[in-house]
C-alpha cells in the first residue's frame, strides 16, 4: 500500500507534477485521462472529426504488465532486452511505442488508482518510459523515409505544464520520419515566441493537456503568428485538452488537431507542401 500522506510533498526532480496537481483537484479519473491521452497524442491535418486507427501493437498486450513491472523496478537491462526481443520478432517502431509504452503508462495510472503504487513510483516509472522511448529510437536507427528536403518541427509543452510523455513521443515520431526536431519540454511564452521568431520553422506542435490552458494557448499562438519568420508556419495542437473538444483548435488559431500519431509526420508534410504550393500560386 502506498503512503497517501506523501502526496503533499514535492515530487522528485523531473517528475510530472502536473499529474499530482490535477489528481488532488479532480480525483483519480484524471490520472488515467492524463496518462492515456497524453501517451497517445494525436495531430491531425485534415479534419478535426477524422479519427485514424492507431498502431495498437497487436500481440504485445501480454507483455504490458511485465514491461510495467520492469519500469517500476528500474530493471532497465531487462526492459531493454524485452524491447529487443519484440523488435527481432517483428514489432515495429509504432507498435512498440503505441502498443507497449503507451499501455504501460496507462497501467501505471491503474496501479496508482488501486493504491498499488505510490505517486513517486508512478512518476519514476514515467521517467523510465521516456528513457525506453529513446532506446527504441536508437534501436531502430535512422529511418529511410526521410524526405529529400528535411523539414523542421518544434514540439513544445505549454508554459507551466509539466506533463511531458505525450509531447516527447510526438517528437520521436517526427524524428523517426526524418524531420529536424527540436523538443522544448520546459519553456515560457517569451522564450517560445523568441524561438519561433529566430528559427526557420515549418511546423510548430503544441501539447494542450488541460482545457483551462486554452486562453493562454490562444494568446501564445497569436504572438507566434505575429513574430514568426515563416508566414506559412503550420501550427498543430494535440493532447488530452482537445480529446473532448477537437473543434477547439479553430478557436485557438491553430491549423489542425487530432489524428493518429504514426501518421502525423506525413500529414504535416502534406500540409507544409500545400502551403508552399499556395504561396507559389499567389506569386505573379
Amino acid at each position: 500500500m502506498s503512503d497517501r500522506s506523501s502526496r503533499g510533498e514535492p515530487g522528485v526532480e523531473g517528475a510530472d507534477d502536473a499529474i499530482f496537481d490535477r489528481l488532488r483537484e479532480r480525483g483519480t479519473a484524471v490520472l488515467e485521462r492524463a496518462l492515456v491521452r497524453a501517451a497517445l497524442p494525436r495531430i491531425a491535418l485534415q479534419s478535426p472529426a477524422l479519427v485514424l486507427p492507431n498502431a495498437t501493437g497487436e500481440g504485445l498486450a501480454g507483455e504490458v504488465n511485465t514491461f510495467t513491472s520492469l519500469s517500476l523496478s528500474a530493471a532497465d537491462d531487462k526492459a531493454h532486452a524485452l524491447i529487443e526481443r519484440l523488435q527481432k520478432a517483428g514489432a515495429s517502431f509504432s507498435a512498440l511505442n503505441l502498443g507497449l509504452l503507451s499501455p504501460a503508462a496507462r497501467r501505471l495510472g491503474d496501479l496508482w488508482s488501486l493504491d498499488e503504487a505510490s505517486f513517486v513510483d508512478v512518476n519514476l516509472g514515467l521517467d523510465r518510459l521516456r528513457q525506453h522511448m529513446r532506446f527504441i529510437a536508437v534501436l531502430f536507427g535512422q529511418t529511410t523515409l526521410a524526405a529529400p528536403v528535411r523539414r523542421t518541427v518544434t514540439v513544445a509543452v505549454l508554459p507551466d505544464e509539466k506533463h511531458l510523455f505525450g509531447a516527447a513521443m510526438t517528437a520521436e515520431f517526427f524524428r523517426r520520419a526524418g524531420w529536424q526536431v527540436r523538443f522544448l519540454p520546459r519553456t515560457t511564452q517569451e522564450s517560445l515566441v523568441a524561438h519561433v521568431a529566430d528559427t526557420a520553422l515549418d511546423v510548430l506542435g503544441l501539447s494542450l493537456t488541460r482545457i483551462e490552458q486554452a486562453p493562454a494557448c490562444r494568446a501564445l499562438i497569436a504572438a507566434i503568428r505575429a513574430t514568426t519568420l515563416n508566414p506559412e508556419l503550420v501550427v498543430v495542437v494535440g493532447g488530452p485538452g482537445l480529446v473532448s473538444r477537437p473543434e477547439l483548435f479553430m478557436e485557438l488559431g491553430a491549423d489542425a488537431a487530432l489524428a493518429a500519431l504514426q501518421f502525423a509526420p506525413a500529414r504535416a508534410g502534406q500540409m507544409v507542401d500545400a502551403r508552399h504550393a499556395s504561396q507559389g500560386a499567389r506569386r505573379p
Side-chain angles (χ1 to χ4, degrees), residues 98-221:
L98 300 178
L100 187 66
L101 267 65
S102 293
R106 179 173 183 171
R107 180 59 182 154
L108 286 174
D110 291 341
L111 292 174
W112 195 94
S113 65
L114 294 170
D115 201 18
E116 295 179 7
S118 71
F119 169 69
V120 172
D121 289 337
V122 168
N123 279 279
L124 289 174
L126 283 170
D127 284 342
R128 293 190 188 100
L129 287 181
R130 287 195 291 270
Q131 295 170 15
H132 299 332
M133 194 187 303
R134 291 299 302 140
F135 177 78
I136 291 172
V138 172
L139 183 64
F140 276 83
Q142 178 60 45
T143 179
T144 59
L145 302 178
V149 177
R150 197 175 190 194
R151 304 196 183 283
T152 58
V153 57
T154 289
V155 178
V157 177
L158 287 177
D160 300 322
E161 179 55 63
K162 297 179 181 179
H163 192 79
L164 313 177
F165 189 83
M169 187 174 285
T170 300
E172 289 300 335
F173 270 77
F174 272 90
R175 188 175 289 112
R176 171 70 183 163
W179 289 60
Q180 182 176 333
V181 180
R182 180 79 178 271
F183 177 45
L184 301 179
R186 310 289 185 192
T187 187
T188 64
Q189 175 168 324
E190 293 75 16
S191 63
L192 185 54
V193 169
H195 166 73
V196 177
D198 294 338
T199 306
L201 196 62
D202 293 309
V203 175
L204 173 67
L206 296 174
S207 176
L208 182 70
T209 300
R210 294 170 290 138
I211 201 71
E212 294 84 355
Q213 295 174 303
C217 185
R218 184 186 306 113
L220 175 61
I221 292 175

Side-chain angles (χ1 to χ4, degrees), residues 236-259:
V236 293
V237 288
L242 284 103
V243 171
S244 60
R245 290 189 57 197
E247 75 284 357
L248 181 62
F249 85 91
M250 293 181 287
E251 300 175 24
L252 297 177
D255 296 299
L258 279 177

Side-chain angles (χ1 to χ4, degrees), residues 214-283:
C217 185
R218 184 186 306 113
L220 175 61
I221 292 175
I224 286 170
R225 297 280 195 203
T227 58
T228 179
L229 291 174
N230 178 14
E232 305 299 323
L233 176 70
V234 173
V235 179
V236 293
V237 288
L242 284 103
V243 171
S244 60
R245 290 189 57 197
E247 75 284 357
L248 181 62
F249 85 91
M250 293 181 287
E251 300 175 24
L252 297 177
D255 296 299
L258 279 177
L261 179 56
Q262 66 269 35
F263 302 118
R267 298 295 171 85
Q270 292 168 5
M271 202 168 192
V272 170
D273 289 343
R275 289 285 178 90
H276 289 171
S278 176
Q279 184 183 43
R282 290 196 297 267
R283 292 172 181 167

